[in-house]
Amino acid sequence: MSTIVPDAMKSGMPPILPIDFNASQPTTIRLYPLSNYTFGVKETQPEEDPSVLARLRRLEEHYTAHGMRRTCEGILVCHEHNHPHILMLQIANAFFKLPGDYLRPEDDEIEGFKERLDERLAPVGSLGEGEKAGDWHVGDCLAQWWRPNFETFMYPFIPPHVTRPKECKKLYFIELPKSKVLSVPKNMKLLAVPLFELYDNTARYGPQLSAIPHLLSRYNFEFVDEDGNVVAATPGAGDAASDYVPKTKVLAGGEDDVDMSAGNGTNDH
């Protein structure tokens, strides 16, 4: 089968076209630009525990009454200049976490997760007109992290000597629609963090969040502009002429941009 190459792309050394390399590839994910989304703030949601020790003590009480705690968090992805960005919460200018939380003992996993996403990110008042509760597209479960004991450490596996883990945290891919209104509690910041900022950055983000680029590497992405046109895709190239370098942005609850070179907060609490 011959391939037609436009004259402008022809050269004395035509490219070698490889055999198709997409066997068993997951469905390509379409990412919409950050500018498609509207961000606001809502009432403060104070942390349930004043300290890490108090949080672990409450986990122990939950385990005694209900068994292993189930937690779900969402990986929400959009793009800025054709580079994936993860929507993430920052608490007290220190700790980073994904939207979501532990499920109540009686909750169905997915429906309970959607309620927790609403609590964190659903708008209120006039911003929420036209949006309904639980309007989230929960996609693949990308990771499971296990807490073997009543301590801060979690692992992406169950250690051999552990038969009764105390908590399982699942990370789900949340496919964002073309546009959406999101509101963050006033005591938190909503950030858009570039994928390359997370990669191999356990010192700042901890092992769970810094692993997100690995989790997303299984997907190919289409990058769509504000008019709905696909302007780049992976594998492929975007605007090679642009010298723009993506950086973390505060979307709500703080200033326009944030210097991510300072501090040492993680989500390991």
Side-chain angles (χ1 to χ4, degrees):
M1 177 179 178
S2 61
T3 302
I4 299 176
V5 180
D7 291 339
M9 298 177 64
K10 290 182 179 179
S11 69
M13 295 291 291
I16 299 174
L17 300 179
I19 295 175
D20 184 71
F21 198 50
N22 289 300
S24 300
Q25 190 76 28
T27 302
T28 297
I29 303 294
R30 178 162 290 192
L31 300 183
Y32 297 95
L34 188 59
S35 55
N36 272 25
Y37 304 100
T38 302
F39 304 98
V41 294
K42 56 186 177 183
E43 289 302 312
T44 295
Q45 292 180 3
E47 286 288 282
E48 293 184 71
D49 306 298
S51 67
V52 175
L53 286 177
R55 181 179 178 86
L56 294 176
R57 190 160 48 246
R58 185 162 55 85
L59 170 62
E60 190 167 359
E61 293 170 355
H62 181 283
Y63 182 82
T64 300
H66 307 289
M68 185 187 74
R69 184 165 70 183
R70 303 170 301 151
T71 297
C72 294
E73 294 181 348
I75 298 176
L76 286 68
V77 192
C78 57
H79 80 86
E80 179 87 332
H81 289 264
N82 306 332
H83 183 76
H85 284 56
I86 308 300
L87 300 188
M88 192 176 300
L89 297 169
Q90 187 181 26
I91 302 172
N93 292 320
F95 295 104
F96 302 93
K97 65 182 300 183
L98 296 170
D101 214 328
Y102 66 88
L103 305 180
R104 290 176 287 268
E106 68 275 11
D107 283 348
D108 170 80
E109 182 174 339
I110 300 301
E111 293 307 313
F113 179 31
K114 290 179 179 180
E115 290 180 12
R116 299 305 257 174
L117 287 174
D118 275 345
E119 289 175 13
R120 283 288 193 244
L121 294 179
V124 294
S126 59
L127 278 179
E129 292 180 359
E131 296 205 5
K132 58 184 180 180
D135 191 15
W136 301 96
H137 183 185
V138 179
D140 295 331
C141 177
L142 299 182
Q144 295 184 100
W145 287 82
W146 303 89
R147 193 186 305 274
N149 298 301
F150 301 113
E151 56 189 21
T152 57
F153 296 108
M154 299 189 77
Y155 302 88
F157 54 85
I158 301 178
H161 64 282
V162 174
T163 58
R164 298 181 180 180
K166 307 307 184 283
E167 180 179 7
C168 177
K169 177 189 289 187
K170 291 188 177 184
L171 304 186
Y172 278 98
F173 189 97
I174 305 296
E175 294 188 38
L176 288 173
K178 184 177 181 180
S179 63
K180 193 172 181 66
V181 179
L182 301 171
S183 290
V184 63
K186 288 189 292 187
N187 58 315
M188 304 178 188
K189 290 180 181 178
L190 183 62
L191 309 177
V193 183
L195 216 56
F196 73 80
E197 163 71 18
L198 293 172
Y199 177 68
D200 200 26
N201 199 352
T202 56
R204 179 163 186 81
Y205 294 100
Q208 296 173 34
L209 300 182
S210 62
I212 290 176
H214 295 277
L215 302 177
L216 295 181
S217 67
R218 64 193 293 251
Y219 296 107
N220 287 329
F221 294 110
E222 289 182 340
F223 302 95
V224 180
D225 64 15
E226 294 180 350
D227 298 321
N229 303 309
V230 177
V231 293
T234 55
D239 184 2
S242 174
D243 58 0
Y244 174 82
V245 178
K247 61 180 178 179
T248 297
K249 291 189 172 184
V250 178
L251 307 175
E255 302 298 329
D256 291 337
D257 299 309
V258 61
D259 180 5
M260 300 307 288
S261 61
N264 190 35
T266 72
N267 69 327
D268 298 337
H269 66 292

